[in-house]
Amino acid sequence: YHPPKETRDPRKIDLVDLARDPKDAALEFELRWATKSWGGAAELARGPMVEQVKQQQVACDSNPNCAKRASELRGTVAVTAQLLERDMTQSVSRVITTGVGSAPEKHIIRVERDGPLWKAVSRVVDDGSFKPRPPQVPQMPPGQLLMRQPGMPEAASSSEK
């Protein structure tokens, strides 16, 4: 049963929910770029990417076929992302877009943390040359990773007894 006054439209998802994770932010930015949703892409851009989005919007506004092409793309574009690198403040993802042309497009998108959101700072074509850095594992003395249960004496205080 579906009451007559309710709609079947999907709920609107807030930008905070879309860009809370770096891979999701890169994916959402590329989806908006590929479907020519420049206002939405500008929301997820930071630094030099804001200027690139504005340039694309100006170019699209001057082309009368751009709006028609954008409405066609909204139903055909699909985007997937792979997280390549991540640390506390920045991340790199490979984003693959299908439905834009005859072959899938691949881009490397760098995002940076901006408060609770992640925002795109660069977008380059993936030519296969990007090699992610190996993860940095801190070196600790043996036994330092063991968890001390509450109430247990620390190593320094047990040697004093």
Side-chain angles (χ1 to χ4, degrees):
Y1 175 71
H2 193 73
K5 291 187 179 185
E6 290 185 19
T7 65
R8 292 181 183 239
D9 293 336
R11 69 179 177 90
K12 176 151 175 43
I13 300 174
D14 293 330
L15 186 64
V16 173
D17 294 329
L18 293 172
R20 184 176 294 151
D21 182 67
K23 183 176 90 169
D24 292 344
L27 184 140
E28 188 65 28
F29 176 79
E30 181 63 24
L31 179 64
R32 291 174 180 201
W33 182 286
T35 58
K36 301 180 185 316
S37 175
W38 304 119
E43 289 180 324
L44 290 169
R46 182 177 174 188
M49 278 310 298
V50 174
E51 284 304 315
Q52 288 184 20
V53 169
K54 286 180 182 177
Q55 289 172 0
Q56 291 294 324
Q57 184 173 11
V58 168
C60 187
D61 290 344
S62 65
N63 184 354
N65 294 328
C66 186
K68 180 183 174 196
R69 178 74 176 138
S71 64
E72 292 171 358
L73 289 172
R74 287 192 183 98
T76 61
V77 171
V79 180
T80 57
Q82 303 166 343
L83 187 65
L84 302 176
E85 289 181 0
R86 179 182 179 171
D87 63 23
M88 296 298 290
T89 59
Q90 58 187 357
S91 174
V92 179
S93 296
R94 175 179 290 121
V95 182
I96 303 165
T97 308
T98 56
V100 177
S102 59
E105 294 180 0
K106 295 181 182 180
H107 292 93
I108 299 292
I109 297 181
R110 293 183 188 275
V111 295
E112 289 182 354
R113 185 176 288 277
D114 185 24
L117 303 176
W118 291 82
K119 294 192 173 186
V121 293
S122 74
R123 175 184 182 266
V124 295
V125 174
D126 182 15
D127 58 2
S129 64
F130 181 81
K131 301 291 185 231
R133 295 180 310 217
Q136 299 291 329
V137 178
Q139 298 297 324
M140 299 184 131
Q144 187 149 351
L145 292 178
L146 297 177
M147 297 290 290
R148 190 176 61 84
Q149 293 184 2
M152 279 183 64
E154 294 186 28
S157 62
S158 64
S159 62
E160 295 171 358
K161 291 182 180 179

